[in-house]
Amino acid sequence: MSGEPGDLPLEPVDPDVDLRVPGQRAETAGHRLWQVLAVISAGGAAGATARYGAERLWPTPDGAFPWTTFLVNVVGCGLIGVLMVLLAEGGWSAHPLLRPFLGVGVLGGFTTFSTYTLDFLRLVRHGQAPAALGYAAVTLVGAMAAVWFTATVTRRLVGPVAGQGAAP
């Protein structure tokens, strides 16, 4: 891509709904909205249950570094990187409800900002302020690095994105 006016955008276009298309705007107002909400809810329940299961299998003692939440968030973000490349960039034809189900629902329910902030507060309350700040920083860096890494690897594995040339 040359970045010239009229070129396709560098960022992926949302394959689920293009609100510039009147017919798609109308679909979101009717039954399609309920279908999307239903699959997000079902996916969210599955993702949150998986996260809860991980927390039960590998509980974090009070005042200890919350490795389980950290790993859940990094792994979940890595899976989001793969999913977005395959569905948003990869040109894969998938059911239109797959992305809201997996991306927003399952992975949104699996990754957790609320537990991340509670873990931060627990560390602070146990006199572990430096560890809490480190946890906050390493989680952010780890999650972003996981998305970047898995998206980069997935792009290389699936080849150039249809209609966009080679990935940068």
Side-chain angles (χ1 to χ4, degrees):
M1 301 216 27
S2 64
E4 297 294 321
D7 280 350
L8 292 173
L10 292 175
E11 66 276 353
V13 177
D14 186 344
D16 301 325
V17 177
D18 185 348
L19 295 177
R20 295 171 294 184
V21 177
Q24 289 188 19
R25 279 195 311 262
E27 278 185 26
T28 61
H31 70 280
R32 176 148 160 70
L33 175 63
W34 290 108
Q35 291 173 336
V36 171
L37 291 175
V39 298
I40 289 172
S41 296
T49 301
R51 180 185 71 238
Y52 178 76
E55 296 285 345
R56 297 291 291 168
L57 284 172
W58 303 287
T60 301
D62 282 345
F65 188 89
W67 285 106
T68 302
T69 304
F70 170 76
L71 292 172
V72 160
N73 284 333
V74 170
V75 167
C77 286
L79 293 171
I80 288 168
V82 172
L83 180 70
M84 291 303 105
V85 168
L86 294 179
L87 294 183
E89 297 177 22
W92 287 27
S93 80
H95 193 281
L97 296 176
L98 184 63
R99 183 173 171 206
F101 173 73
L102 291 175
V104 178
V106 174
L107 295 175
F110 184 64
T111 57
T112 171
F113 192 75
S114 58
T115 304
Y116 165 70
T117 56
L118 287 174
D119 288 340
F120 177 87
L121 290 174
R122 281 188 199 111
L123 287 169
V124 169
R125 287 184 185 134
H126 282 88
Q128 305 281 338
L133 291 173
Y135 170 62
V138 77
T139 298
L140 178 62
V141 170
M144 294 282 100
V147 171
W148 173 83
F149 178 77
T150 59
T152 300
V153 168
T154 304
R155 283 184 192 109
R156 290 199 176 139
L157 290 175
V158 299
V161 176
Q164 291 187 358

